[in-house]
Structures are given as structure tokens and as C-alpha cells.
Amino acid sequence: MPETFEMDRVDRIADILYGVASGKGLIEYVPLGRRVGVQPNHLGQFLEQVSARAADRDEPLWSALVVSKDSRLPSSGFYVLARRLRDEYASLDDEEVWKREQRRCYDAARSS
């Protein structure tokens, strides 16, 4: 049963991030965590699942839209994950990786 609950959270996070992309926005870790009942410091595992599933489906890495309140940037884990899931990011700096994935998210939401 816990596995089903985790997948429900992954689906819920993906839905929320799609909505964020539709508005060409960003969401902070704390508000996202509150919406899905997860402490912000535990969101990483769920965001990784969302992104891995999206990459398998040739979708954008929706986790690019989740940022820190202070820096307004994704956590360092996002960049590691993005480079692991997308070979074309290996030689790009963090800012370019983030810009490309943000753009992919916004474009995907617009075209649906």
C-alpha cells in the first residue's frame, strides 16, 4: 500500500507542476510540499521520480519548475539529475541546463 501512496504523490506532483508550467511560473519547495503533504527536505525523491518518468516519456523534467525561496533556483540535485537523464546537458553550465528545461516545460504545457 505505501508504494501506491507514493505513486499517487508522484502523479499529484506531476499534475501540479504541469499547472505551474501552464502559467509559465515557478513553485517553491515549501508550498509544493504543503500541497502534497511532504516535508520540503523530503521532496527530492518524489521530484526524481517525476523527472525520471518524464524523461522516459520524452517529456520535460517538470522538477525544473521547483525553486528555493531564497535563491529562486532549483536545488543542486536538479542539475545532477538533469545531466544524468539527458546526455546533451553534460557540457552545459547549470544556468543553461535550467533555462532549457524551463523552456521545455512551458512549451509542452502550451502545446497540449
Side-chain angles (χ1 to χ4, degrees):
M1 188 64 147
E3 186 176 315
T4 301
F5 187 61
E6 281 191 16
M7 285 312 294
D8 289 345
R9 274 203 178 120
V10 169
D11 291 338
R12 179 71 179 129
I13 290 169
D15 288 346
I16 291 167
L17 295 179
Y18 181 84
V20 169
S22 295
K24 290 194 173 190
L26 300 170
I27 189 169
E28 296 169 1
Y29 290 96
V30 172
L32 178 60
R34 283 187 188 133
R35 289 180 68 179
V36 296
V38 174
Q39 291 292 323
N41 58 330
H42 292 123
L43 275 173
Q45 68 180 351
F46 296 105
L47 291 171
E48 182 173 348
Q49 290 176 46
V50 168
S51 291
R53 183 174 70 182
D56 287 345
R57 297 175 178 174
D58 199 31
E59 295 175 357
L61 305 181
W62 302 107
S63 59
L65 304 178
V66 186
V67 297
S68 163
K69 177 182 178 181
D70 297 328
S71 70
R72 303 299 296 162
L73 297 169
S75 74
S76 59
F78 165 74
Y79 304 104
V80 172
L81 179 64
R83 288 186 179 98
R84 191 179 82 221
L85 295 174
R86 301 211 193 282
D87 294 335
E88 66 267 26
Y89 292 160
S91 63
L92 300 179
D93 65 26
D94 288 353
E95 184 177 357
E96 186 60 27
V97 168
W98 186 42
K99 283 181 183 178
R100 287 187 185 199
E101 278 307 316
Q102 267 189 301
R103 196 169 27 243
R104 286 179 71 146
C105 290
Y106 299 151
D107 289 349
R110 185 183 63 226
S111 67
S112 293

